[in-house]
Amino acid sequence: MDKNLIFLKLITPYKTTDIEDVRSLIIKTDSGEIELLPFHCEYIANIEISILTITHRDNTIKHYAVGGGAIHFVEEENKAVLLLNSIIPVEEIDLIKAQKAQQDALNKLKNATSNDEHKKAQLHLQTAVNEIFAKSKYKD
């Protein structure tokens, strides 16, 4: 692996993916949007429901809708580890499914009878809106 590129590990509840040779990644954290470049200083933050942008070795750029999580950049290893609730490449987002999820979340939000139900519905709504936004902004 080229020492001037980042080793990226994506971990979700369903699978772990290693992506080598990444030039940079941009993600929204609870402190704002951050771009990580090779040998960034040690970094830990919560990831918001947002868009992940990865620039690969060959300068191709891919966008993903992520459902929140956490990030840890290990400076010594030049490695970024993203623990994500969900991740979906923009080209795989089903717009009709995302719009239905948005409507379902709105209905659940209206009918929520507890604080827990309200929070879950809000998260589902944010995730659906993020997918719709990602699909419309980053067309195939």
Side-chain angles (χ1 to χ4, degrees), residues 32-103:
E33 189 174 84
I34 185 167
E35 180 174 16
L36 294 174
L37 298 169
F39 296 102
H40 191 281
C41 65
E42 195 78 16
Y43 184 77
I44 296 175
N46 290 320
I47 295 173
E48 300 289 318
I49 294 171
S50 60
I51 308 300
L52 167 64
T53 301
I54 299 174
T55 302
H56 292 273
R57 168 188 269 257
D58 62 1
N59 289 317
T60 57
I61 298 172
K62 292 213 38 154
H63 303 281
Y64 303 82
V66 297
I71 183 169
H72 180 202
F73 191 88
V74 184
E75 179 182 10
E76 187 177 291
E77 298 175 26
N78 198 33
K79 176 178 167 180
V81 179
L82 278 65
L83 303 167
L84 302 169
N85 295 320
S86 63
I87 183 170
I88 182 166
V90 168
E91 64 271 10
E92 292 180 20
I93 294 172
D94 181 333
L95 190 56
I96 293 169
K97 185 178 172 185
Q99 289 169 333
K100 183 179 180 330
Q102 179 185 24
Q103 192 56 53

Side-chain angles (χ1 to χ4, degrees), residues 10-27:
L10 302 173
I11 302 170
T12 71
Y14 309 105
K15 78 180 206 180
T16 298
T17 306
D18 292 338
I19 304 174
E20 294 186 34
D21 298 340
V22 173
R23 289 193 182 280
S24 70
L25 57 106
I26 300 171
I27 191 72

